[in-house]
Amino acid sequence: MTGEPAVFLSASVPQEGRLGSEDFDPFLIKEAVSALIEVVLGRYLLVWGGQPAITPMIWEAARRYDVSYPDVVTLYQSAIFKDRYPEENTKFGNFIETPATPDNQDASLERMRISMLSEHNYKAAVFIGGMEGIRDEYSLFAKLNPDAILLPIPSPGGYARTLYEQTEGLPPELNRAVDYTYWLYKLLDVDLATTRRASLK
């Protein structure tokens, strides 16, 4: 496990017919992801799995900041998706590929998640949108990181709304909030004065 404090992002845009697809707003999912980048990038190590709809959102938000991406993010991918990696993977200059279990996507994902969620010193996990994957990552993260903050963002919808309802101690005002930057600074306890490290300037 690395000693650097990290924040884990679990997010996806729900697909029709999947868990969490009954009620979600893709615009608000993107806004919440962008807000997380604003709050965390360069202040904590940001870790996520390479969900193909989310990595481009992260890149779009992250490229506004003058940081050395390999030093401030770690992106995980399972080799079982090797032919479907988002092109934005290579723009971050740093991702970890976990071995595939041949012909078994579920086992390959579990292998990646165990590595991803056990190899860092996590301060928190943030959950946005999502389907079955964020349900599974929430449970595994909580098991492996019992002292870390669990922060599902409910208003973009997806399965994160259900996770919000299941998570104790979160403020009721968060339920409909769309001022994501404010709430992420507050609930992740990030000092506004904290400078982003690894600046290229």
Side-chain angles (χ1 to χ4, degrees):
M1 177 184 292
T2 61
E4 180 182 6
V7 172
F8 173 62
L9 170 63
S10 179
S12 67
V13 177
Q15 299 171 7
E16 186 176 355
R18 299 275 298 276
L19 189 69
S21 65
E22 304 85 2
D23 178 23
F24 72 95
D25 185 328
F27 174 77
L28 291 181
I29 290 173
K30 183 176 181 180
E31 289 294 292
V33 169
S34 296
L36 181 67
I37 298 303
E38 178 181 341
V39 172
V40 169
L41 193 70
R43 294 179 170 128
Y44 295 102
L45 177 67
L46 179 64
V47 181
W48 76 96
Q51 213 278 342
I54 295 299
T55 299
M57 290 185 193
I58 294 175
W59 171 249
E60 181 65 26
R63 66 192 183 93
R64 305 171 194 164
Y65 300 96
D66 291 323
V67 297
S68 175
Y69 301 114
D71 297 326
V72 298
V73 304
T74 300
L75 163 61
Y76 282 77
Q77 290 275 193
S78 170
I80 201 164
F81 300 116
K82 198 174 185 71
D83 61 342
R84 288 177 275 170
Y85 289 170
E87 65 175 295
E88 286 80 4
N89 278 15
T90 58
K91 296 178 181 178
F92 286 103
N94 174 30
F95 73 91
I96 295 172
E97 184 179 78
T98 58
T101 300
D103 302 317
N104 192 325
Q105 179 172 308
D106 289 343
S108 298
L109 279 171
E110 183 178 15
R111 188 172 187 174
M112 182 196 75
R113 286 169 175 154
I114 290 171
S115 295
M116 180 170 62
L117 301 181
S118 63
E119 294 177 349
H120 301 280
N121 176 26
Y122 284 109
K123 171 187 176 72
V126 177
F127 303 87
I128 300 170
M131 302 176 280
E132 297 86 353
I134 76 161
R135 175 197 61 192
D136 297 343
E137 289 175 354
Y138 181 99
S139 298
L140 184 59
F141 183 92
K143 178 180 177 182
L144 295 175
N145 303 276
D147 297 325
I149 297 166
L150 296 169
L151 181 51
I153 305 297
S155 60
Y159 197 73
R161 188 189 302 279
T162 300
L163 293 176
Y164 167 79
E165 294 167 355
Q166 296 173 354
T167 303
E168 296 180 358
L170 294 176
E173 298 89 346
L174 183 61
N175 187 33
R176 297 187 180 278
V178 294
D179 48 344
Y180 303 122
T181 302
Y182 166 80
W183 283 105
L184 287 165
Y185 271 116
K186 180 180 177 67
L187 297 176
L188 296 179
D189 192 26
V190 177
D191 187 343
L192 277 163
T194 304
T195 58
R196 302 181 196 278
R197 62 182 186 79
S199 173
L200 297 177
K201 289 185 176 179

Short mmCIF file of all heavy atoms in Angstrom, two decimals, residues 8-11 47-52 54-55 58 74-77 112 116 137:
data_model
loop_
_atom_site.label_atom_id
_atom_site.label_comp_id
_atom_site.label_asym_id
_atom_site.label_seq_id
_atom_site.Cartn_x
_atom_site.Cartn_y
_atom_site.Cartn_z
N PHE A 8 -10.68 7.81 -4.12
CA PHE A 8 -11.14 6.89 -5.16
C PHE A 8 -12.44 7.41 -5.77
O PHE A 8 -13.34 7.84 -5.05
CB PHE A 8 -11.38 5.50 -4.57
CG PHE A 8 -12.02 4.53 -5.52
CD1 PHE A 8 -11.38 4.17 -6.70
CD2 PHE A 8 -13.25 3.97 -5.24
CE1 PHE A 8 -11.96 3.28 -7.59
CE2 PHE A 8 -13.85 3.08 -6.12
CZ PHE A 8 -13.21 2.73 -7.29
N LEU A 9 -12.53 7.39 -7.08
CA LEU A 9 -13.76 7.75 -7.80
C LEU A 9 -14.36 6.50 -8.42
O LEU A 9 -13.71 5.80 -9.20
CB LEU A 9 -13.49 8.78 -8.89
CG LEU A 9 -14.67 9.04 -9.85
CD1 LEU A 9 -15.86 9.62 -9.09
CD2 LEU A 9 -14.25 9.94 -10.99
N SER A 10 -15.61 6.24 -8.08
CA SER A 10 -16.39 5.19 -8.72
C SER A 10 -17.55 5.85 -9.42
O SER A 10 -18.40 6.48 -8.76
CB SER A 10 -16.89 4.19 -7.67
OG SER A 10 -17.66 3.17 -8.27
N ALA A 11 -17.60 5.77 -10.74
CA ALA A 11 -18.63 6.49 -11.48
C ALA A 11 -18.88 5.82 -12.82
O ALA A 11 -17.99 5.19 -13.40
CB ALA A 11 -18.19 7.94 -11.71
N VAL A 47 -7.67 8.12 -7.89
CA VAL A 47 -7.64 6.75 -8.42
C VAL A 47 -9.01 6.40 -8.97
O VAL A 47 -10.03 6.69 -8.34
CB VAL A 47 -7.25 5.74 -7.32
CG1 VAL A 47 -7.19 4.32 -7.88
CG2 VAL A 47 -5.91 6.12 -6.67
N TRP A 48 -9.04 5.78 -10.15
CA TRP A 48 -10.32 5.30 -10.69
C TRP A 48 -10.06 4.14 -11.63
O TRP A 48 -8.96 3.94 -12.12
CB TRP A 48 -11.08 6.41 -11.39
CG TRP A 48 -10.62 6.83 -12.74
CD1 TRP A 48 -11.10 6.41 -13.96
CD2 TRP A 48 -9.55 7.75 -13.05
NE1 TRP A 48 -10.42 7.02 -14.98
CE2 TRP A 48 -9.46 7.84 -14.45
CE3 TRP A 48 -8.67 8.50 -12.27
CZ2 TRP A 48 -8.52 8.66 -15.09
CZ3 TRP A 48 -7.73 9.31 -12.89
CH2 TRP A 48 -7.67 9.38 -14.29
N GLY A 49 -11.12 3.37 -11.89
CA GLY A 49 -11.09 2.33 -12.91
C GLY A 49 -11.53 2.94 -14.23
O GLY A 49 -12.40 3.82 -14.25
N GLY A 50 -10.99 2.46 -15.32
CA GLY A 50 -11.15 3.14 -16.61
C GLY A 50 -12.48 2.94 -17.27
O GLY A 50 -12.56 2.44 -18.40
N GLN A 51 -13.56 3.32 -16.61
CA GLN A 51 -14.88 3.21 -17.22
C GLN A 51 -14.93 4.10 -18.46
O GLN A 51 -14.60 5.28 -18.41
CB GLN A 51 -15.94 3.64 -16.18
CG GLN A 51 -17.26 2.89 -16.28
CD GLN A 51 -18.17 3.45 -17.35
OE1 GLN A 51 -18.00 4.57 -17.82
NE2 GLN A 51 -19.15 2.67 -17.76
N PRO A 52 -15.31 3.54 -19.62
CA PRO A 52 -15.12 4.26 -20.88
C PRO A 52 -15.92 5.56 -21.01
O PRO A 52 -15.53 6.44 -21.78
CB PRO A 52 -15.55 3.24 -21.95
CG PRO A 52 -16.35 2.22 -21.23
CD PRO A 52 -15.82 2.17 -19.84
N ILE A 54 -16.45 7.59 -18.39
CA ILE A 54 -15.99 8.50 -17.35
C ILE A 54 -14.59 9.03 -17.61
O ILE A 54 -14.32 10.22 -17.38
CB ILE A 54 -16.06 7.81 -15.97
CG1 ILE A 54 -17.52 7.49 -15.61
CG2 ILE A 54 -15.40 8.66 -14.89
CD1 ILE A 54 -18.43 8.70 -15.51
N THR A 55 -13.69 8.20 -18.11
CA THR A 55 -12.32 8.67 -18.34
C THR A 55 -12.27 9.90 -19.26
O THR A 55 -11.53 10.85 -18.98
CB THR A 55 -11.43 7.53 -18.87
OG1 THR A 55 -11.40 6.49 -17.89
CG2 THR A 55 -10.01 8.01 -19.13
N ILE A 58 -13.11 12.88 -17.15
CA ILE A 58 -12.01 13.24 -16.26
C ILE A 58 -10.94 13.99 -17.04
O ILE A 58 -10.41 15.01 -16.58
CB ILE A 58 -11.44 11.99 -15.58
CG1 ILE A 58 -12.49 11.38 -14.64
CG2 ILE A 58 -10.16 12.30 -14.81
CD1 ILE A 58 -12.08 10.06 -14.01
N THR A 74 -3.89 7.83 -10.74
CA THR A 74 -3.60 6.44 -11.08
C THR A 74 -4.87 5.83 -11.64
O THR A 74 -5.91 5.80 -10.96
CB THR A 74 -3.11 5.64 -9.87
OG1 THR A 74 -1.92 6.23 -9.35
CG2 THR A 74 -2.80 4.20 -10.27
N LEU A 75 -4.79 5.38 -12.86
CA LEU A 75 -5.92 4.81 -13.59
C LEU A 75 -5.70 3.30 -13.71
O LEU A 75 -4.63 2.86 -14.11
CB LEU A 75 -6.01 5.46 -14.97
CG LEU A 75 -6.82 4.81 -16.07
CD1 LEU A 75 -8.27 4.69 -15.67
CD2 LEU A 75 -6.68 5.62 -17.35
N TYR A 76 -6.72 2.53 -13.36
CA TYR A 76 -6.64 1.07 -13.46
C TYR A 76 -7.50 0.58 -14.63
O TYR A 76 -8.58 1.13 -14.90
CB TYR A 76 -7.15 0.41 -12.18
CG TYR A 76 -6.16 0.41 -11.05
CD1 TYR A 76 -5.94 1.56 -10.30
CD2 TYR A 76 -5.44 -0.73 -10.71
CE1 TYR A 76 -5.03 1.59 -9.25
CE2 TYR A 76 -4.52 -0.72 -9.66
CZ TYR A 76 -4.33 0.44 -8.94
OH TYR A 76 -3.43 0.44 -7.89
N GLN A 77 -7.00 -0.45 -15.31
CA GLN A 77 -7.76 -1.12 -16.37
C GLN A 77 -7.54 -2.63 -16.25
O GLN A 77 -6.43 -3.06 -15.93
CB GLN A 77 -7.29 -0.68 -17.76
CG GLN A 77 -7.63 0.74 -18.12
CD GLN A 77 -9.01 0.91 -18.70
OE1 GLN A 77 -9.33 1.94 -19.26
NE2 GLN A 77 -9.87 -0.08 -18.57
N MET A 112 -9.18 -6.75 -10.70
CA MET A 112 -8.76 -5.35 -10.82
C MET A 112 -9.18 -4.55 -9.60
O MET A 112 -8.40 -3.76 -9.04
CB MET A 112 -9.37 -4.72 -12.07
CG MET A 112 -8.94 -3.27 -12.29
SD MET A 112 -9.98 -2.36 -13.49
CE MET A 112 -11.45 -2.06 -12.50
N MET A 116 -6.97 -2.36 -7.06
CA MET A 116 -7.20 -0.92 -7.07
C MET A 116 -7.58 -0.39 -5.68
O MET A 116 -7.15 0.70 -5.28
CB MET A 116 -8.33 -0.63 -8.07
CG MET A 116 -8.73 0.81 -8.24
SD MET A 116 -9.86 1.02 -9.65
CE MET A 116 -11.27 0.03 -9.15
N GLU A 137 -18.23 -1.84 -5.99
CA GLU A 137 -17.05 -1.12 -5.53
C GLU A 137 -17.29 -0.46 -4.17
O GLU A 137 -16.37 -0.39 -3.35
CB GLU A 137 -16.62 -0.10 -6.58
CG GLU A 137 -16.03 -0.77 -7.80
CD GLU A 137 -15.69 0.16 -8.95
OE1 GLU A 137 -16.00 1.35 -8.87
OE2 GLU A 137 -15.09 -0.33 -9.93
#
